[in-house]
Amino acid sequence: SAVAPWTERLRYLVAVRPGLQSPSVAARMTATLDRVSNGRLLINVVTGGDPVENKGDGIFLDHDERYAVTREFLNVYSDLLAGKTVNVQGKHISIEDGRLLFEPVQSPRPPLYFGGSSDAGIDVAVDTVDKYLTWGEPPAQVAEKIARVKAAADKKGRKLSFGIRLHVIVRETNEAAWRAADELIQYVTDDTIAAAQKIFSRMDSVGQQRMAQLHGGRRDKLEISPNLWAGVALVRGGAGTALVGDAQTVAARIKEYQDVGVDTFIMSGYPHLEEAYRFAELVFPLLNLNQSNVAHLRVNTGPFGETIGNEYRPQKQ
């Protein structure tokens, strides 16, 4: 919200947390930020995969129950943002006469991004969201996951698009890129890796388990597929892989993911700003980019200034 007035094209992928937030409050916050940013908001739905962290937040539910909460949350949240009046008596969420006064710019709501590799996660995804996300697994594993999600969505008569979350280490040459990758973890000790992997092992996130299986906590097997490096995952939970190489190599690897159905790439690097500049300058010219990333504004129907109470109008006297 602080950055939105100073930018025109940058979009914001902001997390909502079922179980931590009321769906009604989250919907109001979402609508507000979507209006402030003129329709540039994207929503990342985060169910949470660390039982210890969840208990610290007051959530004492097992893996599948958390996804049941996510389903109820998203049904209410999406209906509110679409302008519906919501009355729900669910197992986890109850709402009476819920509604928004001010709707979002994007119709029927900002796009929902969601990642969940378990059966429960995929089941929720194909019913409720727009874009299914995966962390940076090798292309063959991503293709298998996409096929699995598409098959589940087909049974529900729905279509999802697909995104991937990756780090990038791009340099002028492949040698320089791999040297930068090695330098990134050169001061990480074996004790630090062991402590981090112990924390990751307690998580019940299937996606996190799949990340850990890629490298097994070992330094000697970090290139898990051509130019896909798992060094970040030694000490970082969640997205733990990076595309490493010169611009042509990284662009070619991105194309491999596109070929299996990925259309959205969420990238980061270390340090972030410097890597963002390098990626934009070196790799962008080699990519086929979709530039239409700002939503069309919906016209305020008046009678003047801001619409009063959304669809409510003063009665004619």
Side-chain angles (χ1 to χ4, degrees), residues 12-276:
Y12 308 98
L13 183 60
V14 179
V16 298
R17 291 292 304 266
L20 289 183
Q21 296 173 286
S22 153
S24 302
V25 172
R28 289 198 291 274
M29 295 169 68
T30 298
T32 298
L33 185 51
D34 199 47
R35 294 163 76 91
V36 168
S37 64
N38 286 335
R40 288 182 282 141
L41 180 61
L42 307 168
I43 295 297
N44 186 31
V45 181
V46 180
T47 298
D50 184 346
V52 174
E53 180 185 278
N54 287 333
K55 290 174 183 177
D57 287 333
I59 300 174
F60 295 85
L61 300 173
D62 66 24
H63 177 277
D64 287 3
E65 286 179 307
R66 293 199 306 273
Y67 280 104
V69 171
T70 299
R71 180 186 295 278
E72 290 189 26
F73 177 99
L74 290 178
N75 288 337
V76 171
Y77 174 81
S78 295
D79 282 350
L80 288 171
L81 287 168
K84 299 179 182 178
T85 299
V86 176
N87 288 279
V88 168
Q89 187 70 41
K91 179 180 179 181
H92 300 281
I93 295 173
S94 296
I95 301 290
E96 184 176 315
D97 199 27
R99 66 186 72 195
L100 292 185
L101 292 180
F102 301 105
E103 63 191 6
V105 170
Q106 298 177 84
S107 179
R109 52 159 173 68
L112 300 184
Y113 287 49
F114 176 90
S117 297
S118 66
D119 291 340
I122 291 173
D123 193 50
V124 170
V126 299
D127 281 338
T128 58
V129 305
D130 306 297
K131 191 172 298 288
Y132 179 87
L133 297 176
T134 181
W135 287 324
E137 299 176 3
Q141 292 185 29
V142 172
E144 179 273 330
K145 187 183 289 187
I146 287 175
R148 182 178 162 207
V149 175
K150 277 185 175 179
D154 287 344
K155 292 180 181 178
K156 303 291 183 73
R158 296 196 73 234
K159 290 189 178 299
L160 278 65
S161 58
F162 296 90
I164 193 167
R165 174 75 176 89
L166 286 161
H167 306 287
V168 286
I169 301 175
V170 181
R171 297 295 185 272
E172 296 282 354
T173 66
N174 282 312
E175 293 75 17
W178 283 112
R179 188 164 55 249
D182 291 336
E183 290 172 355
L184 189 62
I185 60 170
Q186 64 179 323
Y187 299 116
V188 176
T189 66
D190 291 343
D191 288 343
T192 301
I193 294 172
Q197 293 301 311
K198 183 177 180 180
I199 292 173
F200 303 153
S201 68
R202 79 189 184 200
M203 299 181 182
D204 59 5
S205 162
V206 174
Q208 181 62 59
Q209 293 164 6
R210 290 170 66 109
M211 277 277 104
Q213 290 166 2
L214 294 176
H215 57 80
R218 295 170 52 181
R219 292 178 183 265
D220 61 343
K221 49 182 300 185
L222 293 179
E223 189 177 3
I224 54 175
S225 92
N227 302 96
L228 184 64
W229 181 72
V232 177
L234 292 176
V235 290
R236 183 199 193 280
T241 54
L243 294 178
V244 180
D246 62 21
Q248 290 76 17
T249 300
V250 170
R253 298 296 175 237
I254 289 173
K255 178 64 163 55
E256 290 175 355
Y257 285 113
Q258 289 177 313
D259 288 343
V260 301
V262 174
D263 63 20
T264 298
F265 293 80
I266 305 168
M267 306 292 207
S268 60
Y270 302 97
H272 187 75
L273 183 61
E274 288 85 343
E275 197 65 56

Side-chain angles (χ1 to χ4, degrees), residues 5-17:
W6 302 95
T7 58
E8 296 179 356
R9 301 187 59 79
L10 188 65
R11 302 201 74 171
Y12 308 98
L13 183 60
V14 179
V16 298
R17 291 292 304 266

